[in-house]
Structure formats: structure tokens, C-alpha cells
Amino acid sequence: MIVFLPLSIAACLSVFTSILVFHLEKKGIFNSLTYYKKQIYIGLLFGIVSCIGSEAGVPMGGFILNVRDTAPICAGLLFGGPAGIIAGVMGGLERWFAVNWGAGEYTRFACALSTILAGIIAALFRRYLFDNKKPTIFPAFAIGVLVETLHILMVFITHMNDVAGAFKVVRPSAVPLIAINSLAVSLAVFLISILSKKQDSQDKSKLKPISYSFQKGLLACVLIIFATTTVFSWKLQIYMSHSETKKIISVNINDVEQDISDASDANMLKIAHEVADQLDAVPEITKPLLRDLYQKYNVAEIDIIGPDGIITESTNSKFIGFDMASGKQSAEFNILLKGIKEFVQDYQPISYDQTIYRKYAGVALKRGGYMQIGYAAEQFQRDIDEKIIGITKNRHVGEEGSLIIVDKYGLIVSDRNNYQGKPLDTTGFKIDWHSVPENTIFVQKVYEKPSFCMYVVTEGYSIIGVLPVEEAMRTGDVAICLTVLLSIIMFGIQFVALYILVKFIVVKKIQQVNDSLAQITDGNLNVVVNVRSNSEFASLSDDINMTVDTLKRYIAEAAARIDKELEFARIIQMSALPNTFPPFPGRNEFDIFASMNPAKEVGGDFYDFYLVDENKLAFIIADVSGKGIPAAMFMMTSKTLIKSLATEGNDIATTITAANTKLCEGNEANMFITAFMGCLDLNTGKLQYVSAGHNPPLVKHGDGSFEYLPKSKTIVLAAMEGYPYKAQEMQLEPGDVIYTYTDGVTEATDSSETLYGEPRLKEALNAQRWGSMEELCKGIKKDVDGFVGSAPQFDDITMLAIRWLSK
């Protein structure tokens, strides 16, 4: 409801415009105009409505839903094909360029092309299916569904390499877009039919010989096929998704299970070898010795087995005299009597007593026979817990799934959210372990997401695999969505195909027109439609050519106007920066120079410097996020604000902190600024400076080489309100130089996309032969230009250099 209401209100604008145009036609206001002029005026009016429908979009799921297609459909179906085409082209072009002021880039091509196609499709339906008459409600609704379905399908077509991403756009938007646009077109047709006092039954009777009987039978057949295909696909996809999910989770669990087993085995063998080495080092194995080793290594038992396979000594007196060959579990260790040096066994019941569980490791003894140590679950889990704590950190089941390792007490040993030591239900996972067997898929809410889960128990641990249901079912959902969309498109194609068979005489001529229109919609506005086999096609060709000429003129005029306005903006921006050097005639304590070369007509970088009192020079260099007009506007605001605060007598830390607070207010565009501001005492050479996430300047002391200042760990301006910036200090000596710049210098790239980089900048500064700061800055700019070569400039290049000369 939150989405439907505002979209419905926006869609009603097309309905109101249809009623307005109908009244203008009825009152004869258009009678003095030629057919072509009338179509242009109507097309332009509905084109404006289409643009408004685009701008009045409603956010949903990270994307913007809008009703721009309603206007060209209404124009084309109700008032003429050329009007619909003009409206569609205007709406499509507006959507294409709307990315420059905030519209989404992802669906740019799909939305722009689909809006143009909406006008074209409406025009074709009116001319060739309705013989230039207004349609009735049902065909109008069907056309709305068809056009919006094509629009949604176009998102998939233009993103075949990212079907999952396209589905994220389509899933929340498909139903609102199809329903609202189709209902709005139907409402417009219904109201116009009432106003024109034509009965729906009369309209249907005129259509009966061509479409009514066909529509009735075809609709029934398509609905049956559609329902059958959808249900079958849905069932098949669910089965395949479940099978694939189990396979994915099983593979990941098996990997972790093997890792745990390997960690456990390695730990057991390490201890077993240490015990064996100590036993081999003594002439006789005694009970006190075994007891000491038992306590030292905190194991469950230590057994000594003779060459005949009989336990000769043990920390558990009950086991002495036990024949290892008498049980399947114990007999496995007799391979140590046949030349094998070591053997480790999984955690399992022992042969002597099936109610006792142990994990054993054995090592052959040099004196003959072998020894084995036994671990209870608590002991080997204690020893290997720390080895497996991070075992699931970087493991993913699918893209968003994960693995959880739990000990026998239900406490988490390892998971991706650092819940070690916490109960399993901290993740939301709750299960009756006795009711759900291992290796069985079931659904639980884990990490606040419904997820497919499966577990196995190994070495006393439970390994749980988790895969969100949404991700697991995504492929099936996409397939079902595409099936529905393609079925609707196929219905439209079949419907049109039968009409083409009825009107086969004009098929080739329609194709010629469509071919020309396809080239035009692809951007070739020099195409001339020249289909003149009869008066109807001649009229259509002239109308399209007139429309294209009008669009070319509008585009040329708009381009010229934009170029002129951008040039004015560039002049205004550059005039706001200090550009007279030397800036303070008569002041010989310092030499200063700065320059800015914007990547576009206007840029987001700026610099400034001014005397805050007789002996203190403040200077700043900054880089606004983004490019073009928005960045330039934010730059002008920031520059003025900072200068105002600095000249009020504030120190630079207070100035930057206050500026940050002001810039955060109402920053709905989420822009930010990196900045470096300094204040130089011209008497003493003491420099105070504040960096707000800016590139570190380079400083040259005396006859030494340039060195970077240490990077300051601060955040950019306009990112966090209330952030306290602190000033740092350094002492300059006469002749010292400080060189500041924006990232347009170090991130300049050549044709092979290699960065200019900080090391190259430092090397260039040290290699230069310069006498003034102007020569220094121009020398660096020349070096950057030589490095970049013919590659385009992607970012503003700004630099400011100061040399303190003292009094």
C-alpha cells in the first residue's frame, strides 16, 4: 500500500491529461492545426507527463519505481501514433540523462529503451489493430500489461551477465509496475469512452469479426498452458533447489569435518610421539612412570602392548592382559606390530566396553610392541578447540551462508560472527537433536534469516551448515519469473501474429517502418523513413521524419544551451579562486602559488589563502566528492563557509570542526570533502595544520629533499557531525617549502591505466630545478601531463605550494 498509493497518484496525471486533450479536441481548439502539428503538440504534452512520472518515482528495495510508460501508451492509443512515439522518445531520453541528477544507472538502458518502445507499441497497436480508433478497456489493459512486461523483461535482457542482480530489481517492482500502469491506461480509455458517449458494446461489436472470438479461445488456451507450465516449473525448481542446496551444504560440512578430524589426529599423534619418546628413553616401563605421564599429559589412559598384541601395562588396571586382536576397534592398532610407525583412530566405542567412547593414537616402541594413548571427548575437544575457533571464519556456504561448529554442551566453538562460547540459540538456531537426524535438510531461522540447515556430528562436535532460503531459491524464482514474463510476451506475440495473418498485405510495409524505427531508437537520427507504397504509409513516414527532425533540433538546442551554461559556471567558479600572483604585493616573507585544472567544465576541487591577521597566513586545499555542477556548488559553499569561519578569528581546529558541523546539516546528497588547512606564522615560521582525510603534503626542509608528512587518521568533512578535529604543529625554517595537492595528481592515469602515484610525485619534486613556487607547480603539472599522454583527465588536478622566507 505504501508503494501503490503514491504511484497511483502519479499515474492519474496521465489520465487527467487524456481528459484534457479530449476536451481540447472536442471544443475544436486543435481544428486550426494540421494533423502533424497536432500530433507534435499532443506528443510533447504527454512527453512532459512521462518525464514527471519518471521524476515522481517511489523508492523500493534500493530502486525507484515510476509510471513514465503510462503517458506514451495513452497518447499512442487514444490520440495518434506519432503522439505516442514523441511522448515515448521524450520519456526515454529523459530517463537516459536522468542519471546525471540521481536516477539509477543499473536500469538506465532498459528503462530508456522500454519507454521509447511503449510509445512505438501503442502507436502500432492503434494504427494496425484498431484502425486508428480508440480501443476498448480490455485491449487497453492487455496492451498495458504487455508493454510493462516487456519493460521488466528488458531488465533481464540488458543484464544477461547478472541475472541475479536483475532479479533483485524485478522482484519487488514487477507487480506494482504492471498493475498500476495497466489500470491507469484502462481508466483513461474508460473515461474517454464515457465522455465520447460511445457504448462499450458497440465498440466490441465492431471488433468481433476480427478479434473477439479469437481472443476468447486464445485466452483460454494460453491461460491453461501458462498455468500448467508455471506449476510444473515451480515444482521442478523447488526440487532442484532443494537437491542443490543439500549438495552445497554437504560439501562444505565435509570440508570442515575433515579439517576437525585432521586437527584432532595431529594433536593426538603429537602427544603420542612425546609419550613414546619418553618411554623409549627408559630401560623399563613402570607403573609410576605411566602414572606420571598420565598426569602430565592429562589423557584418559596410556596402554603398553607387547609384541604379541597383549596389553602388558596400563593406567587402567582392568585393561592389563586384554588381547587387542579380540575386538574390531582394538585390533586395528595391531598394524603397529607389522612395521607401521603410527596410527590414529576416530572417536568411537572401545572393544573392551561398548559403553565407553575413546579416541586413540598409537606409536610403535623401539623395544618392540607399541603404546597407545586414549582421549575422552572432553580432553581432545579441550586441546583442539583453540585450533578450530577460526575454522569457519572465511568459509561461506554459497554466497551468504555459513558454518557453525558446536560442542556437545551446545556451546559455539566457531562461527563467522564471533559467538564463540555462547549458546547455539544465540544465532536463533533451535533444534531437537533427537527428532532431526544427521544429513537431513530442514528450515530454521538463523542470523535472523529463514535458512536451510543440515548437520553432522564428528569427533564430539556438531557441524551445522546454513544457507538462506532466499539465496537457495533464487535460481528457481528467477526461472519462474522469466517463465511468467515470457508467457505474457508470447501471448502478445501470438495475438499480433494472427492479426498480421489477417492483414498480410501490409506486413512487409510495417516491417520496413519498424526497421527504420529500430535504427532511430538505437540513436541514428539521420535515418529517413521512406515507405510510400500508399498514402497511409507515406503519411506515417512523413510524420516519423518530422518527429525525428524535431527531436534533433531540440537535442541540438539543448546541447548548445548546456554548453553555454557550463562555460558560464566555469568562469564563475574560476573567478572565485585566488588567481593573481603574487597575491600580496609588498609582502616578502613568503612565496605562494596555486592552480586548479578541472576534469570537466567545472570541478569539485578548490584552494584558498588569506591573511587572518597581519602576520598569519591561512591556506587550504580541498577535494569535493563527485564531479560537475553538484560538486562545484558544494565546493563554493564549503569555500565560503571555511573562509568566513577562519577570518572571524577562530583557530584552524575550531574552523574545520565548525565547518564540518555546518556541512553535515542538510547534506541529503551525502557529499563529502577531503581538506588540508594550515596557518603559518610569518614571524616565527610556526605552522599549525589540520587534515580532514586529505592526501599528505610534502615538506622540504633547508637543502634536504621533499618528504611526505605522516598521514593523519581523520575523517572527511560532512561525514560525521560533531567530529572534533585537532591541529598539529611543525616548525619551518627559512627556505622551507610545503607542497599540497589533491588526488587528481597522484591518481592521474596513462593509457595503460597506471597511476602517477605518490612515489613518482616525490621523485619529480626532488628532481626539479625550480626557483619559485609557480615554477614548481607548473613543473609538476608538466610532468603529470607528460606521464598521462593522450589519456583523458578523469579528476580535477589542484596544487598549492608555499615557501617561507622569514622577515
Side-chain angles (χ1 to χ4, degrees):
M1 183 58 68
I2 295 176
V3 173
F4 275 81
L5 182 58
L7 283 180
S8 299
I9 294 174
C12 286
L13 184 58
S14 296
V15 178
F16 295 147
T17 304
S18 299
I19 296 173
L20 173 63
V21 172
F22 173 79
H23 279 295
L24 293 177
E25 282 189 323
K26 188 175 181 180
K27 292 180 179 180
I29 296 178
F30 287 142
N31 288 346
S32 60
L33 301 176
T34 64
Y35 172 77
Y36 302 116
K37 287 186 177 180
K38 183 174 73 171
Q39 288 293 297
I40 291 174
Y41 286 140
I42 295 174
L44 290 175
L45 180 60
F46 276 96
I48 294 172
V49 173
S50 179
C51 295
I52 294 173
S54 182
E55 294 299 322
V58 177
M60 182 177 183
F63 298 91
I64 305 294
L65 306 186
N66 53 66
V67 288
R68 84 173 69 85
D69 292 346
T70 305
I73 296 174
C74 289
L77 289 180
L78 294 172
F79 303 107
I85 294 173
I86 293 172
V89 171
M90 285 184 63
L93 288 175
E94 191 276 341
R95 175 62 182 88
W96 179 264
F97 291 109
V99 297
N100 296 319
W101 51 85
E105 176 70 33
Y106 190 81
T107 58
R108 179 186 192 182
F109 182 76
C111 290
L113 179 59
S114 298
T115 303
I116 295 173
L117 290 176
I120 295 174
I121 292 173
L124 294 177
F125 269 91
R126 176 182 171 86
R127 186 173 184 85
Y128 297 108
L129 269 68
F130 306 123
D131 297 323
N132 277 326
K133 297 177 182 178
K134 294 179 176 64
T136 55
I137 296 175
F138 176 76
F141 179 81
I143 291 170
V145 172
L146 180 66
V147 170
E148 287 309 300
T149 301
L150 180 61
H151 188 152
I152 293 168
L153 191 60
M154 195 66 67
V155 176
F156 282 108
I157 294 174
T158 55
H159 293 90
M160 294 298 291
N161 60 340
D162 184 24
V163 176
F167 183 64
K168 289 181 180 179
V169 180
V170 169
R171 182 170 57 181
S173 62
V175 173
L177 288 181
I178 293 176
I180 293 174
N181 281 282
S182 302
L183 290 172
V185 172
S186 302
L187 179 60
V189 171
F190 174 71
L191 294 176
I192 294 298
S193 67
I194 292 177
L195 292 173
S196 61
K197 297 180 181 180
K198 292 182 178 181
Q199 299 295 325
D200 290 344
S201 59
Q202 293 178 345
D203 292 336
K204 289 181 180 179
S205 64
K206 293 179 181 179
L207 294 174
K208 268 187 179 181
I210 300 175
S211 65
Y212 184 73
S213 299
F214 158 73
Q215 290 175 3
K216 187 176 179 180
L218 180 61
L219 180 61
C221 293
V222 169
L223 286 177
I224 293 173
I225 296 173
F226 171 73
T228 303
T229 304
T230 301
V231 171
F232 176 78
S233 299
W234 178 62
K235 291 288 187 182
L236 180 61
Q237 288 299 329
I238 288 178
Y239 173 77
M240 292 176 63
S241 296
H242 278 244
S243 298
E244 185 65 22
T245 297
K246 184 173 182 179
K247 180 180 178 182
I248 292 172
I249 295 177
S250 294
V251 168
N252 282 273
I253 287 178
N254 290 340
D255 287 345
V256 174
E257 186 177 11
Q258 186 61 49
D259 288 345
I260 293 175
S261 178
D262 291 345
S264 174
D265 291 353
N267 184 67
M268 286 285 290
L269 287 172
K270 176 178 177 293
I271 295 173
H273 276 287
E274 290 180 5
V275 173
D277 289 342
Q278 295 182 57
L279 293 175
D280 285 332
V282 298
E284 181 182 0
I285 300 174
T286 64
K287 286 185 180 293
L289 174 61
L290 289 183
R291 184 168 58 253
D292 290 342
L293 293 174
Y294 168 82
Q295 293 174 350
K296 176 181 178 181
Y297 290 100
N298 195 20
V299 294
E301 63 182 88
I302 302 176
D303 303 317
I304 307 300
I305 297 88
D308 56 357
I310 305 297
I311 296 178
T312 60
E313 193 60 74
S314 174
T315 55
N316 188 334
S317 58
K318 295 180 180 180
F319 295 166
I320 297 175
F322 179 75
D323 186 354
M324 297 293 286
S326 63
K328 180 179 179 182
Q329 172 268 328
S330 57
E332 292 181 356
F333 278 90
N334 283 340
I335 62 172
L336 297 173
L337 300 175
K338 301 177 182 179
I340 303 299
K341 300 298 183 182
E342 63 181 28
F343 179 69
V344 66
Q345 207 175 47
D346 291 337
Y347 182 69
Q348 59 185 286
I350 67 174
S351 297
Y352 184 85
D353 186 345
Q354 292 290 307
T355 64
I356 300 175
Y357 281 72
R358 290 280 191 274
K359 180 180 180 69
Y360 286 104
V363 176
L365 295 174
K366 293 179 181 179
R367 58 170 44 90
Y370 59 92
M371 59 75 61
Q372 67 174 14
I373 63 169
Y375 256 20
E378 294 84 353
Q379 292 165 314
F380 72 74
Q381 286 187 11
R382 179 197 62 223
D383 284 355
I384 70 170
D385 270 356
E386 64 180 31
K387 294 183 175 63
I388 65 173
I389 283 176
I391 205 169
T392 63
K393 281 260 184 242
N394 298 317
R395 291 182 183 270
H396 291 269
V397 179
E399 295 178 3
E400 302 175 10
S402 61
L403 292 159
I404 305 171
I405 301 177
V406 182
D407 64 19
K408 74 174 190 176
Y409 300 108
L411 299 179
I412 297 173
V413 177
S414 179
D415 86 322
R416 69 180 186 188
N417 289 334
N418 295 320
Y419 285 173
Q420 290 90 347
K422 295 182 179 180
L424 177 59
D425 59 11
T426 304
T427 67
F429 189 95
K430 297 179 181 178
I431 182 176
D432 180 359
W433 300 98
H434 301 290
S435 62
V436 180
E438 296 182 52
N439 295 303
T440 301
I441 288 288
F442 56 95
V443 177
Q444 280 275 309
K445 191 171 184 180
V446 186
Y447 301 127
E448 299 183 353
K449 289 184 178 181
S451 304
F452 288 112
C453 303
M454 189 172 73
Y455 78 94
V456 298
V457 178
T458 181
E459 304 284 5
Y461 293 96
S462 295
I463 308 172
I464 304 169
V466 178
L467 182 64
V469 173
E470 179 183 356
E471 179 182 345
M473 300 302 295
R474 187 178 297 153
T475 301
D477 292 343
V478 171
I480 294 171
C481 179
L482 287 172
T483 299
V484 174
L485 294 175
L486 289 172
S487 296
I488 295 173
I489 296 297
M490 289 305 299
F491 171 77
I493 293 174
Q494 292 172 12
F495 186 83
V496 173
L498 289 179
Y499 269 93
I500 291 176
L501 290 175
V502 174
K503 299 183 177 182
F504 68 94
I505 296 175
V506 296
V507 168
K508 291 183 179 180
K509 308 306 175 187
I510 293 175
Q511 187 60 51
Q512 292 177 26
V513 174
N514 286 340
D515 290 343
S516 298
L517 287 174
Q519 296 181 59
I520 292 171
T521 55
D522 285 339
N524 185 3
L525 298 182
N526 294 319
V527 172
V528 176
V529 181
N530 190 27
V531 181
R532 299 186 176 278
S533 58
N534 50 53
S535 60
E536 291 83 3
F537 280 106
S539 177
L540 179 61
S541 297
D542 292 339
D543 190 26
I544 294 174
N545 293 332
M546 184 180 297
T547 300
V548 173
D549 290 341
T550 302
L551 286 173
K552 289 169 66 177
R553 185 174 69 253
Y554 287 159
I555 292 172
E557 292 174 354
R561 184 173 63 255
I562 291 172
D563 289 342
K564 186 175 182 181
E565 291 174 353
L566 286 175
E567 177 61 23
F568 284 143
R570 188 190 69 80
I571 294 172
I572 293 171
Q573 183 187 36
M574 295 304 295
S575 66
L577 301 177
N579 53 21
T580 300
F581 297 97
F584 305 106
R587 300 301 295 260
N588 301 318
E589 306 99 313
F590 61 93
D591 179 15
I592 187 170
F593 186 79
S595 65
M596 186 186 83
N597 298 93
K600 295 186 176 181
E601 288 82 355
V602 290
D605 285 5
F606 71 89
Y607 64 84
D608 204 356
F609 50 85
Y610 30 80
L611 291 169
V612 294
D613 63 29
E614 184 66 23
N615 296 305
K616 287 187 178 180
L617 174 68
F619 61 92
I620 185 169
I621 188 167
D623 184 0
V624 178
S625 62
K627 312 265 186 320
I629 294 293
M633 293 177 67
F634 202 60
M635 162 262 184
M636 295 291 286
T637 300
S638 306
K639 176 182 174 297
T640 303
L641 173 62
I642 293 171
K643 183 174 182 179
S644 174
L645 291 169
T647 53
E648 289 176 357
N650 296 309
D651 60 73
I652 59 173
T654 303
T655 296
I656 293 297
T657 300
N660 176 65
T661 300
K662 289 289 186 182
L663 292 173
C664 286
E665 295 176 359
N667 186 15
E668 297 179 358
N670 293 323
M671 302 187 76
F672 60 87
I673 306 172
T674 69
F676 181 90
M677 185 174 187
C679 183
L680 175 62
D681 189 319
L682 300 177
N683 286 331
T684 65
K686 179 181 178 181
L687 175 66
Q688 290 187 326
Y689 61 91
V690 174
S691 177
H694 197 74
N695 303 75
L698 292 101
V699 177
K700 181 178 181 181
H701 292 295
D703 296 331
S705 60
F706 278 92
E707 294 293 340
Y708 282 100
L709 282 180
K711 290 187 178 180
S712 179
K713 296 181 180 179
T714 55
I715 66 171
V716 297
L717 296 178
M720 180 185 295
E721 187 173 356
Y723 182 83
Y725 291 88
K726 296 181 180 180
Q728 296 176 274
E729 294 183 0
M730 66 181 301
Q731 180 64 47
L732 299 183
E733 298 298 330
D736 285 0
V737 175
I738 180 167
Y739 171 81
T740 62
Y741 59 96
T742 61
D743 59 8
V745 176
T746 53
E747 294 182 6
T749 57
D750 60 13
S751 56
S752 63
E753 298 187 358
T754 301
L755 291 177
Y756 185 76
E758 292 182 354
R760 194 185 305 268
L761 173 60
K762 178 180 175 182
E763 181 181 341
L765 283 168
N766 289 325
Q768 277 199 76
R769 297 292 183 268
W770 42 266
S772 66
M773 296 299 95
E774 180 176 0
E775 292 176 355
L776 183 148
C777 291
K778 289 183 177 180
I780 294 298
K781 181 62 168 63
K782 182 178 179 181
D783 192 69
V784 171
D785 291 342
F787 171 80
V788 170
S790 60
Q793 180 180 335
F794 292 106
D795 200 358
D796 305 334
I797 295 178
T798 305
M799 57 187 82
L800 182 151
I802 300 174
R803 177 166 55 187
W804 181 58
L805 302 172
S806 81
K807 288 194 174 182

Short mmCIF file of all heavy atoms in Angstrom, two decimals, residues 188 190 224 719 766 773 780:
data_model
loop_
_atom_site.label_atom_id
_atom_site.label_comp_id
_atom_site.label_asym_id
_atom_site.label_seq_id
_atom_site.Cartn_x
_atom_site.Cartn_y
_atom_site.Cartn_z
N ALA A 188 -8.08 5.56 -18.23
CA ALA A 188 -8.11 6.65 -19.22
C ALA A 188 -9.03 6.29 -20.38
O ALA A 188 -9.85 7.11 -20.82
CB ALA A 188 -6.69 6.94 -19.71
N PHE A 190 -11.50 4.12 -20.35
CA PHE A 190 -12.88 4.05 -19.84
C PHE A 190 -13.50 5.44 -19.74
O PHE A 190 -14.63 5.67 -20.19
CB PHE A 190 -12.88 3.35 -18.48
CG PHE A 190 -14.20 3.35 -17.79
CD1 PHE A 190 -15.26 2.57 -18.27
CD2 PHE A 190 -14.41 4.15 -16.68
CE1 PHE A 190 -16.49 2.58 -17.63
CE2 PHE A 190 -15.64 4.16 -16.04
CZ PHE A 190 -16.68 3.38 -16.51
N ILE A 224 -4.44 -21.90 -19.80
CA ILE A 224 -4.21 -23.29 -19.41
C ILE A 224 -2.73 -23.64 -19.54
O ILE A 224 -2.12 -24.24 -18.64
CB ILE A 224 -5.08 -24.23 -20.28
CG1 ILE A 224 -6.56 -24.02 -19.95
CG2 ILE A 224 -4.68 -25.69 -20.04
CD1 ILE A 224 -7.50 -24.78 -20.87
N ALA A 719 30.96 14.17 6.85
CA ALA A 719 30.67 12.74 7.01
C ALA A 719 30.09 12.43 8.38
O ALA A 719 29.24 11.55 8.52
CB ALA A 719 31.93 11.91 6.79
N ASN A 766 61.74 16.27 -6.18
CA ASN A 766 63.17 16.30 -5.85
C ASN A 766 64.05 16.48 -7.08
O ASN A 766 65.17 16.97 -6.98
CB ASN A 766 63.56 15.01 -5.13
CG ASN A 766 62.99 14.95 -3.72
OD1 ASN A 766 62.88 15.96 -3.05
ND2 ASN A 766 62.58 13.76 -3.28
N MET A 773 57.61 29.18 -6.48
CA MET A 773 56.54 28.21 -6.30
C MET A 773 55.72 28.04 -7.58
O MET A 773 55.18 26.97 -7.84
CB MET A 773 55.63 28.65 -5.14
CG MET A 773 56.31 28.68 -3.79
SD MET A 773 56.95 27.06 -3.25
CE MET A 773 58.68 27.15 -3.80
N ILE A 780 55.43 20.38 -11.99
CA ILE A 780 54.72 19.14 -11.64
C ILE A 780 53.59 18.88 -12.62
O ILE A 780 53.38 17.75 -13.07
CB ILE A 780 54.20 19.21 -10.19
CG1 ILE A 780 55.37 19.24 -9.21
CG2 ILE A 780 53.29 18.02 -9.89
CD1 ILE A 780 56.26 18.02 -9.26
#
